[in-house]
Short mmCIF file of all heavy atoms in Angstrom, two decimals:
data_model
loop_
_atom_site.label_atom_id
_atom_site.label_comp_id
_atom_site.label_asym_id
_atom_site.label_seq_id
_atom_site.Cartn_x
_atom_site.Cartn_y
_atom_site.Cartn_z
N ASP A 112 15.74 68.80 17.42
CA ASP A 112 15.79 68.74 15.97
C ASP A 112 14.50 68.25 15.36
O ASP A 112 14.44 67.99 14.17
CB ASP A 112 17.00 67.90 15.51
CG ASP A 112 16.92 66.43 16.07
OD1 ASP A 112 15.96 66.17 16.82
OD2 ASP A 112 17.81 65.69 15.81
N ASN A 113 13.43 68.16 16.14
CA ASN A 113 12.11 67.75 15.68
C ASN A 113 11.42 69.05 15.22
O ASN A 113 11.11 69.91 16.03
CB ASN A 113 11.39 67.01 16.79
CG ASN A 113 10.06 66.42 16.38
OD1 ASN A 113 9.44 66.87 15.40
ND2 ASN A 113 9.57 65.54 17.13
N ARG A 114 11.01 69.06 13.94
CA ARG A 114 10.36 70.26 13.44
C ARG A 114 8.91 70.40 13.98
O ARG A 114 8.26 71.47 13.80
CB ARG A 114 10.30 70.28 11.94
CG ARG A 114 9.59 69.09 11.29
CD ARG A 114 9.71 69.18 9.81
NE ARG A 114 9.13 68.03 9.20
CZ ARG A 114 7.76 67.94 8.85
NH1 ARG A 114 7.02 68.92 9.11
NH2 ARG A 114 7.31 66.79 8.33
N ASN A 115 8.37 69.38 14.62
CA ASN A 115 7.06 69.47 15.26
C ASN A 115 7.08 69.92 16.73
O ASN A 115 6.04 69.90 17.36
CB ASN A 115 6.38 68.10 15.20
CG ASN A 115 6.06 67.67 13.85
OD1 ASN A 115 5.75 68.44 12.98
ND2 ASN A 115 6.18 66.36 13.53
N VAL A 116 8.29 70.37 17.16
CA VAL A 116 8.45 70.79 18.57
C VAL A 116 9.01 72.21 18.59
O VAL A 116 9.88 72.52 17.80
CB VAL A 116 9.39 69.80 19.29
CG1 VAL A 116 9.79 70.35 20.74
CG2 VAL A 116 8.83 68.40 19.43
N LEU A 117 8.50 72.98 19.44
CA LEU A 117 9.02 74.33 19.74
C LEU A 117 9.22 74.53 21.18
O LEU A 117 8.28 74.36 21.95
CB LEU A 117 8.08 75.44 19.18
CG LEU A 117 8.46 76.79 19.31
CD1 LEU A 117 9.72 77.12 18.49
CD2 LEU A 117 7.39 77.80 18.86
N ARG A 118 10.46 74.97 21.57
CA ARG A 118 10.77 75.49 22.96
C ARG A 118 10.86 76.95 22.85
O ARG A 118 11.55 77.43 21.95
CB ARG A 118 12.03 74.81 23.45
CG ARG A 118 12.05 73.29 23.57
CD ARG A 118 13.21 72.72 24.22
NE ARG A 118 14.52 73.08 23.66
CZ ARG A 118 15.57 72.31 23.56
NH1 ARG A 118 15.57 71.12 24.18
NH2 ARG A 118 16.71 72.70 23.09
N SER A 119 10.27 77.63 23.79
CA SER A 119 10.31 79.09 23.67
C SER A 119 10.44 79.74 25.12
O SER A 119 9.96 79.12 26.10
CB SER A 119 9.04 79.64 23.01
OG SER A 119 7.91 79.24 23.71
N PHE A 120 11.05 80.86 25.11
CA PHE A 120 11.17 81.62 26.40
C PHE A 120 11.11 83.10 26.02
O PHE A 120 11.67 83.48 24.98
CB PHE A 120 12.41 81.22 27.20
CG PHE A 120 12.44 81.80 28.54
CD1 PHE A 120 11.57 81.44 29.51
CD2 PHE A 120 13.46 82.73 28.87
CE1 PHE A 120 11.62 81.88 30.80
CE2 PHE A 120 13.52 83.24 30.18
CZ PHE A 120 12.62 82.86 31.19
N ASN A 121 10.56 83.89 26.89
CA ASN A 121 10.40 85.32 26.58
C ASN A 121 11.71 86.18 26.81
O ASN A 121 11.64 87.42 26.78
CB ASN A 121 9.20 85.90 27.33
CG ASN A 121 9.34 85.67 28.82
OD1 ASN A 121 9.68 84.57 29.25
ND2 ASN A 121 9.05 86.66 29.64
N SER A 122 12.80 85.49 27.10
CA SER A 122 14.05 86.21 27.37
C SER A 122 15.24 85.32 26.94
O SER A 122 15.00 84.27 26.45
CB SER A 122 14.18 86.50 28.88
OG SER A 122 15.31 87.21 29.18
N ARG A 123 16.37 85.77 27.16
CA ARG A 123 17.62 85.03 26.79
C ARG A 123 18.08 84.05 27.77
O ARG A 123 18.75 83.11 27.46
CB ARG A 123 18.73 86.01 26.41
CG ARG A 123 18.46 86.76 25.17
CD ARG A 123 19.58 87.74 24.93
NE ARG A 123 19.37 88.43 23.64
CZ ARG A 123 19.94 88.09 22.54
NH1 ARG A 123 20.82 87.14 22.42
NH2 ARG A 123 19.66 88.82 21.49
N VAL A 124 17.73 84.28 29.06
CA VAL A 124 18.28 83.37 30.09
C VAL A 124 17.25 83.10 31.15
O VAL A 124 16.29 83.85 31.39
CB VAL A 124 19.43 84.06 30.87
CG1 VAL A 124 20.61 84.37 29.90
CG2 VAL A 124 19.05 85.35 31.61
N ILE A 125 17.42 81.97 31.79
CA ILE A 125 16.86 81.60 33.10
C ILE A 125 18.04 81.55 34.05
O ILE A 125 18.93 80.78 33.83
CB ILE A 125 16.14 80.25 33.03
CG1 ILE A 125 14.97 80.25 32.00
CG2 ILE A 125 15.57 79.84 34.44
CD1 ILE A 125 14.35 79.02 31.76
N SER A 126 18.00 82.39 35.02
CA SER A 126 19.19 82.54 35.89
C SER A 126 18.71 82.63 37.32
O SER A 126 17.75 83.37 37.67
CB SER A 126 19.98 83.68 35.45
OG SER A 126 21.19 83.82 36.13
N PHE A 127 19.49 82.04 38.22
CA PHE A 127 19.08 82.06 39.71
C PHE A 127 20.34 82.56 40.43
O PHE A 127 21.50 82.10 40.13
CB PHE A 127 18.72 80.68 40.19
CG PHE A 127 17.52 80.14 39.51
CD1 PHE A 127 17.59 79.21 38.48
CD2 PHE A 127 16.22 80.57 39.94
CE1 PHE A 127 16.44 78.70 37.84
CE2 PHE A 127 15.08 80.00 39.28
CZ PHE A 127 15.21 79.10 38.26
N ASP A 128 20.13 83.34 41.45
CA ASP A 128 21.25 83.87 42.22
C ASP A 128 21.55 82.87 43.41
O ASP A 128 20.93 81.81 43.41
CB ASP A 128 21.05 85.24 42.81
CG ASP A 128 19.90 85.39 43.79
OD1 ASP A 128 19.47 84.28 44.30
OD2 ASP A 128 19.43 86.49 44.08
N GLU A 129 22.47 83.23 44.25
CA GLU A 129 22.89 82.34 45.26
C GLU A 129 21.82 81.92 46.32
O GLU A 129 21.96 80.95 47.02
CB GLU A 129 24.16 82.89 46.03
CG GLU A 129 23.87 84.17 46.75
CD GLU A 129 23.89 85.44 45.93
OE1 GLU A 129 24.21 85.31 44.72
OE2 GLU A 129 23.55 86.50 46.47
N ARG A 130 20.75 82.77 46.29
CA ARG A 130 19.63 82.40 47.26
C ARG A 130 18.52 81.64 46.51
O ARG A 130 17.48 81.37 47.08
CB ARG A 130 19.01 83.74 47.78
CG ARG A 130 20.06 84.51 48.63
CD ARG A 130 19.52 85.88 48.98
NE ARG A 130 19.38 86.59 47.70
CZ ARG A 130 18.71 87.70 47.63
NH1 ARG A 130 18.04 88.20 48.65
NH2 ARG A 130 18.52 88.37 46.47
N GLY A 131 18.67 81.39 45.18
CA GLY A 131 17.69 80.68 44.41
C GLY A 131 16.69 81.63 43.82
O GLY A 131 15.70 81.16 43.25
N PHE A 132 16.90 82.92 43.93
CA PHE A 132 15.95 83.87 43.36
C PHE A 132 16.25 84.13 41.88
O PHE A 132 17.42 84.20 41.50
CB PHE A 132 16.03 85.19 44.02
CG PHE A 132 15.50 85.27 45.46
CD1 PHE A 132 15.14 84.05 46.14
CD2 PHE A 132 15.38 86.40 46.18
CE1 PHE A 132 14.67 84.07 47.44
CE2 PHE A 132 14.93 86.47 47.48
CZ PHE A 132 14.50 85.29 48.08
N ALA A 133 15.21 84.30 41.09
CA ALA A 133 15.38 84.59 39.62
C ALA A 133 15.43 86.06 39.43
O ALA A 133 16.04 86.47 38.42
CB ALA A 133 14.16 83.97 38.87
N GLY A 134 14.94 86.89 40.31
CA GLY A 134 15.01 88.33 40.11
C GLY A 134 14.32 88.78 38.86
O GLY A 134 13.14 88.48 38.62
N VAL A 135 15.04 89.49 37.98
CA VAL A 135 14.41 89.92 36.79
C VAL A 135 14.46 88.86 35.66
O VAL A 135 13.88 89.15 34.61
CB VAL A 135 15.23 91.22 36.21
CG1 VAL A 135 15.07 92.36 37.23
CG2 VAL A 135 16.61 90.84 35.88
N ASN A 136 14.96 87.73 35.90
CA ASN A 136 15.02 86.67 34.93
C ASN A 136 13.80 85.71 35.04
O ASN A 136 13.91 84.55 35.04
CB ASN A 136 16.31 85.81 35.11
CG ASN A 136 17.57 86.71 34.97
OD1 ASN A 136 17.70 87.31 33.90
ND2 ASN A 136 18.34 86.76 36.00
N THR A 137 12.64 86.33 35.04
CA THR A 137 11.37 85.62 35.16
C THR A 137 10.76 85.46 33.75
O THR A 137 11.24 85.96 32.81
CB THR A 137 10.34 86.42 36.01
OG1 THR A 137 10.17 87.68 35.35
CG2 THR A 137 10.92 86.67 37.37
N GLY A 138 9.85 84.58 33.75
CA GLY A 138 9.15 84.37 32.45
C GLY A 138 8.55 82.99 32.36
O GLY A 138 8.44 82.28 33.39
#
Side-chain angles (χ1 to χ4, degrees):
D112 56 359
N113 185 339
R114 63 183 175 88
N115 293 325
V116 173
L117 179 65
R118 298 188 303 212
S119 58
F120 189 64
N121 55 318
S122 183
R123 291 179 178 260
V124 300
I125 298 172
S126 187
F127 299 98
D128 68 14
E129 65 280 354
R130 298 171 297 164
F132 289 9
V135 297
N136 300 301
T137 61

